[in-house]
Amino acid sequence: MGFDELLRITPWILTILCANIIHYRSLWTAREESKDRVRALRKSAAQSDSKLEHERLTFDLMRAPAMRKARYKIKLMRYCGTTLFVLVLKRYHLPELHERYTIGIITLEVLIVGMLSGLIVVYLNENQEESFRTLWRPSFDFQSPRIGLFWDMVRVLGTSVSVPIEEELFYHSWMYRYMVQLLNRHHYKSFTEVPFLKWSWPAWVASNVIKGIYNGKEWRSYCISGLLFQWMIGRRGLFLDGVFTHAISNLTISCWVLLTGQRQYW
């Protein structure tokens, strides 16, 4: 893997690493807290050890306070990591992030398609049973409306700025163009030689199906949104059109969450 690939893959990889480290450290803390509660119950109640131990080490442990609060650390690390990565490595000049952007009729399309993407996610509502992840409720988790508002604003800003850059770099700057390069090896020696205006139906579908599969039970939302983001990139060959469409989509979802209180989307 070359340096160009690393520049586009690293933010996504860092997100996974940080998420897993924080997740499993918090899981260990939650298990220790659970064991402490079990020991206390053993002393105060004459119940069987196996039943108590089993009840405290099921999937419900994921909803423990330590695990719930871990989500906020994970998201903050993700947003800050991507932002710092782009700022520090800006001198290496990721061309797609330095495109000369002109406002035109396509910009209106970006707004419309971005809102459409967000509304599709709302309509599908794939986490309505909260089976994929626990709700984002900082006011409840930290027992403070002010802290809750702070974390909500972090979420809005992060999903509107950092996340679109991270995911678009990985799926639509690297993965899509890498697939196009593999399909046209006699034309392109590297994926960076593939212009964003180059369209490939197989790569368009394949890269976004992978994106959907990676995101588990919400695969339909992520796949459809990814298809729309890549479509906007291909409209005039500007990577930033995809980033802005992604940002508008996430902002639409955030507005829906804050206005309706339906936090299963977060």
Side-chain angles (χ1 to χ4, degrees):
M1 182 176 292
F3 186 67
D4 288 324
E5 286 88 347
L6 284 175
L7 280 177
R8 292 156 179 86
I9 293 175
T10 297
W12 188 80
I13 296 296
L14 286 176
T15 293
I16 295 176
L17 290 176
C18 291
N20 277 279
I21 291 172
I22 295 174
H23 174 85
Y24 286 107
R25 286 189 62 181
S26 299
L27 182 59
W28 180 267
T29 300
R31 290 186 64 180
E32 292 302 311
E33 291 176 350
S34 176
K35 290 179 180 179
D36 290 340
R37 286 193 296 269
V38 170
R39 295 188 187 101
L41 287 172
R42 286 174 182 171
K43 294 179 180 180
S44 61
Q47 300 186 35
S48 66
D49 295 350
S50 59
K51 182 179 179 181
L52 286 172
E53 187 74 16
H54 175 71
E55 289 179 352
R56 296 296 178 178
L57 295 178
T58 60
F59 180 74
D60 290 337
L61 193 62
M62 298 298 295
R63 300 177 185 271
M67 292 302 295
R68 291 190 58 84
K69 290 183 178 180
R71 289 197 64 201
Y72 306 102
K73 298 177 185 177
I74 290 172
K75 294 301 181 184
L76 184 61
M77 288 292 291
R78 180 183 190 181
Y79 305 150
C80 292
T82 297
T83 302
L84 289 174
F85 177 85
V86 172
L87 292 176
V88 171
L89 295 180
K90 188 176 181 181
R91 62 190 180 92
Y92 288 108
H93 190 65
L94 287 164
E96 55 267 50
L97 294 180
H98 296 270
E99 293 172 333
R100 183 175 181 181
Y101 192 83
T102 55
I103 297 177
I105 189 64
I106 299 297
T107 307
L108 179 60
E109 290 186 33
V110 165
L111 293 172
I112 294 173
V113 174
M115 293 181 65
L116 175 63
S117 171
L119 293 176
I120 288 174
V121 173
V122 170
Y123 173 76
L124 292 175
N125 197 9
E126 293 172 286
N127 191 46
Q128 58 184 316
E129 297 178 356
E130 302 177 38
S131 57
F132 185 59
R133 61 175 178 274
T134 54
L135 301 185
W136 178 275
R137 296 189 301 172
S139 295
F140 171 80
D141 291 327
F142 294 98
Q143 295 296 303
S144 170
R146 290 185 178 180
I147 295 178
L149 178 61
F150 166 77
W151 280 109
D152 281 347
M153 293 303 101
V154 168
R155 185 72 186 247
V156 172
L157 185 62
T159 56
S160 301
V161 179
S162 299
V163 173
I165 294 175
E166 172 208 310
E167 294 190 348
E168 293 306 304
L169 280 175
F170 182 80
Y171 290 105
H172 298 145
S173 177
W174 172 68
M175 185 178 291
Y176 171 81
R177 291 196 293 168
Y178 180 71
M179 290 181 175
V180 174
Q181 185 238 329
L182 289 180
L183 295 171
N184 300 271
R185 291 184 178 181
H186 55 290
H187 285 302
Y188 307 109
K189 295 181 179 180
S190 169
F191 81 94
T192 56
E193 296 180 6
V194 179
F196 287 104
L197 199 57
K198 175 68 177 178
W199 189 255
S200 170
W201 294 98
W204 179 57
V205 173
S207 60
N208 291 295
V209 166
I210 292 174
K211 179 181 181 181
I213 293 173
Y214 173 76
N215 285 281
K217 292 185 177 181
E218 294 179 301
W219 67 271
R220 289 181 298 169
S221 299
Y222 280 90
C223 182
I224 293 172
S225 295
L227 291 171
L228 292 174
F229 303 155
Q230 183 65 55
W231 179 268
M232 291 311 302
I233 291 174
R235 289 283 285 117
R236 59 176 176 176
L238 284 182
F239 176 75
L240 289 180
D241 278 333
V243 174
F244 293 150
T245 305
H246 195 154
I248 295 298
S249 175
N250 287 355
L251 187 59
T252 300
I253 297 169
S254 294
C255 289
W256 181 272
V257 169
L258 295 177
L259 290 174
T260 66
Q262 297 181 35
R263 292 181 171 263
Q264 67 270 25
Y265 298 102
W266 272 4

